[in-house]
Amino acid sequence: MAFKYISSKENPYFKELIKLKKGYSANSLFLVEGKDIVFEAYKNSCLKEIICVEENDVTKQFNNIKTTYISKNLYKEISSFQSLNQKIIGICKKEYSNNLGKRCVYLDNLQDPGNVGTIIRSSLAFNFSSLVLSLDSVSLYNSKVIQASKGAIFHLPIIHNDLLSICRGYNIYLTCIDGKDIMEVDKLIEPFILVFGNEGKGIKKEYLVLGEKLKINMSNFDSLNVASAAAIFLYKYSQN
Amino acid sequence: MAFKYISSKENPYFKELIKLKKGYSANSLFLVEGKDIVFEAYKNSCLKEIICVEENDVTKQFNNIKTTYISKNLYKEISSFQSLNQKIIGICKKEYSNNLGKRCVYLDNLQDPGNVGTIIRSSLAFNFSSLVLSLDSVSLYNSKVIQASKGAIFHLPIIHNDLLSICRGYNIYLTCIDGKDIMEVDKLIEPFILVFGNEGKGIKKEYLVLGEKLKINMSNFDSLNVASAAAIFLYKYSQN
C-alpha cells in the first residue's frame, strides 16, 4: 500500500482533518488519538484510516489500514494534546442505531466536551442502553468528546436528536437542583429517558413539564459538575 | 488608585502572570478567571489584585483592589479560555490550614487539572473536611484546577503533602478496581482518609497496604473517569 506524506497546510486532505477535529463531518467520520483508543476503534471495525508522524511499532499493527504520514507541525494542529506523546490518530466511522433501548441518557445543551465524553463512559459502565445529545450540544464528533469517552463511544448507541422527537412512550426523569431526592426513589420505571442539563443553566424550561424532577441532596455548596452528578445518578440507577 | 497598562510580553509583571498561570508561585498566589469566581474570591477575602482588558461594570465592584489593564493579546496568553468571553482575572491568595479534620480526601498523582478541580467541588458539596494532593499531583495553583473547582477552593482546606506524612491516626480507604464493593460498606469510620489514584495507573502500589480497598461495581466496560468515581464515593459517604 502506498503511503502519503503531507507537510503543507494547504493540502486538501489536511484541511479535511482540521474540520474533523472540530467535529464537522458530512460522513460521520471522526478522529481518535492515542494507540489504545485507535486500537479500540480497530477492534470494533470502526477504524478507516491512520495518520501518524512516523512509522513505529504501533502503526505496524494496522497493516491493512490506509496510512498517511504528516509533519510534526501539522500533527500538532490536529492533535488534542499539547505534547507529542501520542503520535497516532485514527479516522473512524461508526454505524449509528436509532434503537434507544429502555434506559436512555439525554444530554440537553451540554457544551463541555470533557463532560460529554465522561458521561458517555459512565453510561456504558452502568449499563444504560443509549445516549442522545440535543442538537445544540457539543458535537458527538468533537475530538475531546471522543477522547474523554475512552473508547466507550464504540460500544454505546449515540445520536443527536431533540428530546421532543424521541420522548413518546418513555418515562422522562429530569435531573435538577430541586425535585424529589433520589434517596427516596429506588428505581426508575423503564422505558425511561434520564435528562441532564446545561453546565450553567440546567435543563431547558420547556422540558421541565415532561416528567419527574429528581435531585441529589448536597450538604454544602449546592453545586456539582454535571458529569459528577451524572455519575451519581447513573450509578444509583445502574442495572446489574 | 493608579492603573497600570501593560502591552509588552517583556514586562516583568506579565512574566510573573505567566508563571502563576502554570501554577508556579513562591507566595501561594494563584489566578482565577471570570466574574463569578473572582467575586467568590473577593467575598472570601482572597482577592489581592485584578487584571482585565478594559474597565467595565464588573471591575467597578472591586474599587479597593489594585487593578492592572493589559492588552487583548497578553490577556489571551494568561487566559484559560480560548474565547475572550471572560475578561477579568483575579490574583488570589488563600491561607491554608493544616487541620485536615475527620473526613479527608487524598489524591495520589492526579494529573488532569479538570479532574482535580471537579473532585474539590464534589468534596465540598458532600461535606468532606479537607483535600490533600500528593506532591506529584498537578499543582493546586494550576489555573484549570481553580477554574474547575468553581470557587470551592475558597471554602475547603487544601494542601500538598505525602500520604505517608499525614496518615498516622487515620483509617485509610483506598479506591480501586478490586476490593470490597461499596454496596457492602455503609459507612467509613472516622477519622479517615479516602484515597483516589492516578487516572491511568491508580493508587501507588506501596500505598495499597495502608488500609482497606473499596470498589464500585460496574456492569460493563470496567472503566470510570476518576472524578466520576470520586463523585460516587463522596456522595455515598457524604455526611448530612
Side-chain angles (χ1 to χ4, degrees):
Chain A
M1 189 173 296
F3 294 134
K4 283 194 294 186
Y5 181 81
I6 297 175
S7 60
S8 160
K9 284 192 187 182
E10 299 307 314
N11 184 291
Y13 185 83
F14 177 71
K15 286 183 178 172
E16 281 304 309
L17 294 178
I18 290 287
K19 282 190 202 164
L20 288 183
K21 184 193 174 185
K22 292 181 180 162
Y24 302 117
S25 171
N27 310 310
S28 304
L29 295 171
F30 57 92
L31 303 182
V32 303
E33 185 168 5
K35 63 179 167 52
D36 293 342
I37 191 165
V38 171
F39 197 68
E40 194 74 26
Y42 182 70
K43 278 192 303 184
N44 288 276
S45 308
C46 297
L47 185 64
K48 302 303 167 196
E49 300 187 25
I50 299 167
I51 297 120
C52 49
V53 174
E54 60 211 6
E55 192 173 18
N56 56 41
D57 291 347
V58 179
T59 54
K60 283 176 192 158
Q61 292 175 37
F62 310 109
N63 56 11
N64 56 343
I65 302 282
K66 180 184 164 191
T67 302
T68 303
Y69 293 97
I70 65 176
S71 68
K72 278 188 186 172
N73 283 343
L74 294 193
Y75 188 92
K76 279 181 188 163
E77 296 212 17
I78 54 167
S79 171
S80 302
F81 299 96
Q82 294 192 329
S83 71
L84 258 176
N85 287 341
Q86 307 288 347
K87 288 181 186 155
I88 181 164
I89 288 176
I91 303 181
C92 301
K93 187 178 171 93
K94 188 185 155 195
E95 300 307 324
Y96 289 98
S97 156
N98 276 315
N99 181 1
L100 302 179
K102 291 182 181 173
R103 302 165 45 78
C104 173
V105 174
Y106 186 86
L107 306 183
D108 180 30
N109 191 22
L110 257 72
Q111 295 307 312
D112 182 292
N115 284 339
V116 171
T118 302
I119 296 173
I120 292 171
R121 193 173 168 193
S122 299
S123 299
L124 183 64
F126 296 122
N127 221 8
F128 284 72
S129 55
S130 61
L131 186 141
V132 180
L133 283 157
S134 67
L135 303 174
D136 56 4
S137 288
V138 62
S139 168
L140 151 64
Y141 303 113
N142 179 299
S143 60
K144 289 184 185 166
V145 170
I146 314 282
Q147 218 60 42
S149 87
K150 298 281 174 198
I153 192 152
F154 299 118
H155 299 273
L156 193 71
I158 309 175
I159 55 168
H160 277 276
N161 209 336
D162 189 85
L163 183 56
L164 298 175
S165 306
I166 59 165
C167 65
R168 208 175 148 194
Y170 280 93
N171 296 306
I172 310 295
Y173 295 97
L174 305 140
T175 65
C176 298
I177 54 164
D178 55 1
K180 209 164 181 178
D181 185 339
I182 57 170
M183 294 290 279
E184 297 162 21
V185 181
D186 282 342
K187 207 171 151 21
L188 305 184
I189 299 163
E190 295 179 0
F192 66 77
I193 299 173
L194 179 57
V195 184
F196 297 94
N198 172 271
E199 288 86 354
K201 297 176 233 161
I203 295 171
K204 284 184 197 74
K205 210 172 153 191
E206 60 263 39
Y207 291 168
L208 293 179
V209 296
L210 294 176
E212 184 169 14
K213 293 202 271 180
L214 299 175
K215 70 158 185 180
I216 292 169
N217 190 28
M218 278 176 254
S219 320
N220 215 329
F221 199 62
D222 246 13
S223 154
L224 267 186
N225 166 273
V226 62
S228 297
I232 294 167
F233 274 100
L234 298 173
Y235 175 68
K236 166 89 185 180
Y237 299 115
S238 65
Q239 188 185 50
N240 292 304
Chain B
M1 189 174 292
F3 294 133
K4 284 195 292 185
Y5 180 81
I6 297 175
S7 60
S8 162
K9 283 192 187 181
E10 299 307 317
N11 183 291
Y13 185 83
F14 177 72
K15 287 183 178 171
E16 280 305 309
L17 293 178
I18 291 288
K19 280 190 203 162
L20 287 183
K21 183 192 175 185
K22 291 180 182 163
Y24 302 118
S25 170
N27 309 309
S28 304
L29 295 171
F30 57 93
L31 303 182
V32 301
E33 184 167 5
K35 63 180 167 53
D36 293 344
I37 192 165
V38 171
F39 197 68
E40 195 74 28
Y42 181 70
K43 279 193 302 185
N44 288 277
S45 308
C46 297
L47 185 63
K48 301 304 168 197
E49 299 187 26
I50 298 167
I51 298 120
C52 48
V53 174
E54 59 210 9
E55 191 172 19
N56 57 41
D57 290 348
V58 178
T59 54
K60 284 176 191 157
Q61 292 173 39
F62 310 110
N63 56 11
N64 56 341
I65 303 281
K66 180 185 165 191
T67 302
T68 303
Y69 294 96
I70 65 175
S71 69
K72 279 187 184 172
N73 284 342
L74 294 193
Y75 188 92
K76 280 181 189 162
E77 297 212 16
I78 55 168
S79 171
S80 301
F81 298 96
Q82 294 193 327
S83 72
L84 257 176
N85 288 340
Q86 307 288 348
K87 287 181 186 155
I88 181 164
I89 287 176
I91 303 181
C92 302
K93 187 176 170 96
K94 188 185 156 194
E95 300 306 325
Y96 290 97
S97 156
N98 276 316
N99 180 3
L100 302 180
K102 291 181 179 173
R103 302 164 47 74
C104 174
V105 174
Y106 187 87
L107 305 184
D108 179 32
N109 191 22
L110 257 72
Q111 296 307 313
D112 182 291
N115 284 339
V116 172
T118 301
I119 296 173
I120 292 171
R121 194 174 168 192
S122 300
S123 299
L124 183 64
F126 296 123
N127 222 6
F128 284 71
S129 56
S130 62
L131 187 141
V132 180
L133 282 157
S134 67
L135 302 174
D136 55 5
S137 288
V138 61
S139 167
L140 153 62
Y141 302 113
N142 179 299
S143 59
K144 288 184 185 168
V145 171
I146 314 280
Q147 217 60 41
S149 87
K150 298 280 175 199
I153 192 154
F154 299 118
H155 299 273
L156 193 72
I158 309 174
I159 55 168
H160 277 276
N161 209 335
D162 189 85
L163 184 56
L164 297 175
S165 306
I166 60 165
C167 65
R168 203 170 153 200
Y170 282 92
N171 296 307
I172 310 294
Y173 295 98
L174 306 141
T175 65
C176 297
I177 54 164
D178 55 2
K180 210 166 180 178
D181 186 338
I182 56 170
M183 294 291 279
E184 296 162 22
V185 181
D186 282 340
K187 211 172 151 16
L188 305 185
I189 299 163
E190 296 180 2
F192 66 76
I193 299 173
L194 179 59
V195 184
F196 298 94
N198 173 271
E199 288 86 353
K201 296 176 232 160
I203 296 171
K204 282 184 198 75
K205 209 172 154 190
E206 60 263 39
Y207 291 168
L208 292 179
V209 296
L210 294 176
E212 183 169 12
K213 293 201 271 181
L214 299 175
K215 71 159 185 180
I216 292 169
N217 190 28
M218 275 175 258
S219 320
N220 216 329
F221 198 62
D222 247 10
S223 152
L224 267 187
N225 165 273
V226 63
S228 296
I232 294 167
F233 275 99
L234 298 172
Y235 174 68
K236 165 91 184 178
Y237 300 114
S238 65
Q239 189 185 49
N240 292 304

